[in-house]
Amino acid sequence: MKEIDSIRLKATLLVEGINYEQEARQGIGSKYKEQNHGLFGWDFENHLGVSLPDDFCLPDGTVVQFRFNSGSPYLVKKINDQICLFKGEEEICEVKWIERPGFYTASTSSGNEMVKIGQIGGADCLFFCYNNYCSYFSHKKECLFCNLVSTSKTYNSVLRKKDFNDIGEVTAAAWAEGTVNHILLTGGCFRGEKEVQIVSHIMASIKEHTGFDRIPGTILPSPAKGDEISRYYETGIQAIGFSMEIWDERLYSAICPGKAETTSHDDFLNSIKTAVKTFGAGNVYGVFVMGLEPRDSFLEGIKVLYGEGANVVPFVWSPNPGSRLEGHRAPSPDWYTDVIREAAEIAFESGVPLGTENHCYRCDGNNLLHDALREKGIV
Ligand code: SF4
């Protein structure tokens, strides 16, 4: 077998999707972690009633999100006791499904199934969406890449609103298993004070159930502004993210029409600067959707945000079913590979701490930047 360029392979699998042979699915949803659609659907096709893996590991530990595409030339097969990745007839490498957490079969004291409250992203990130709702859809102003409503209608697999105490119990149960290292919380989209209060109650519950003083992880609320930023810091979460999505201002307005009406490019930038002062360098994330804007504007965004002391999480875009861009095509894997390596060089040179206590390469199967930084020796 040829030597593997894990970043190029991951980019390829995210852009082309993966097909599977039935035997390869054995144990998904019992021994191995299945998709639960806590927020978005990332496959190329919906698969209601069919348990598919959430993500898997390449031989060097790189975590890759499983994006189902029945038309993909990439295929996973079970051979003896191994899961192997093929392109056509050519075997590429063995891959490993990620173990299913024990708490996925447990319930909270209020009787809710824990898996419908929190899910593991990648190998070690406990994810909560505290409110699966976004008001932009009702005005037809949703972000063009987003399939939140369609995913929720298709799978209806998680509780749309979560009880604060349940979130605390799930966190304690997940941590007790010894595999979780970070939390990621987001809340669809709603505004201001109400969201800060909700997050404050959630963090209080997590602290009560875990004994944490400060919580290792990231809050990704509706764009936080002004005083809200310090209020989020006071809740005890260690890092905060800002979903800018697209760096180029005019493309941002076109692709995110609803969000751009309430939060401008400059609003985001000012908030990120304020957040770096409050949370500290490396503990603030600009979140981008990578692949919907040209290389130069994407890299300019990387340069500016790292120059301000923030980190960036750029998710690899592919045309999700139910989004306005369904049926479109993402840039080539080579484009993603080359651009992310350039972005990693900028991030590396900036000296901004990577903030791996809050978010690491094992959290994301759908972001290449951590992998490209790991390639440079930063883990
Ligand atoms: S703000 Fe955009 S990406 Fe976020 S949930 Fe709403 S439509 Fe989706």
Side-chain angles (χ1 to χ4, degrees), residues 39-40 133-137 141-148 188-189 243 245 256 259:
L39 184 57
F40 305 125
Y133 172 77
C134 174
S135 59
Y136 299 140
F137 283 85
K141 289 185 177 177
E142 72 270 26
C143 306
L144 302 192
F145 52 81
C146 180
N147 67 356
L148 178 141
C189 194
S243 296
E245 323 288 14
C256 307
K259 190 185 281 198

Side-chain angles (χ1 to χ4, degrees), residues 105-151:
T105 51
S107 296
T108 63
S109 58
S110 64
N112 286 317
E113 291 172 64
M114 288 192 176
V115 66
K116 294 190 172 181
I117 295 162
Q119 302 84 36
I120 301 293
D124 72 347
C125 185
L126 178 60
F127 173 76
F128 295 106
C129 177
Y130 42 86
N131 184 23
N132 289 60
Y133 172 77
C134 174
S135 59
Y136 299 140
F137 283 85
S138 55
H139 307 289
K140 297 206 181 317
K141 289 185 177 177
E142 72 270 26
C143 306
L144 302 192
F145 52 81
C146 180
N147 67 356
L148 178 141
V149 169
S150 151
T151 302

Side-chain angles (χ1 to χ4, degrees), residues 155-169:
Y155 298 102
N156 193 23
S157 54
V158 294
L159 296 176
R160 290 193 187 161
K161 282 196 180 169
K162 284 86 172 173
D163 178 83
F164 305 142
N165 191 61
D166 279 358
I167 291 178
E169 287 187 20

Side-chain angles (χ1 to χ4, degrees), residues 37 45-52 68 151 153-157:
H37 305 101
E45 302 162 44
N46 289 326
H47 52 91
L48 186 62
V50 178
S51 264
L52 291 182
F68 171 50
T151 302
K153 277 188 189 154
T154 301
Y155 298 102
N156 193 23
S157 54

Side-chain angles (χ1 to χ4, degrees), residues 2 43 52 61 67 103 118 126 153 169 205 218 231 259 306 379:
K2 285 186 249 168
D43 302 284
L52 291 182
R67 295 180 172 178
F103 78 85
L126 178 60
K153 277 188 189 154
E169 287 187 20
S205 172
T218 307
R231 301 272 315 279
K259 190 185 281 198
Y306 275 94
V379 182

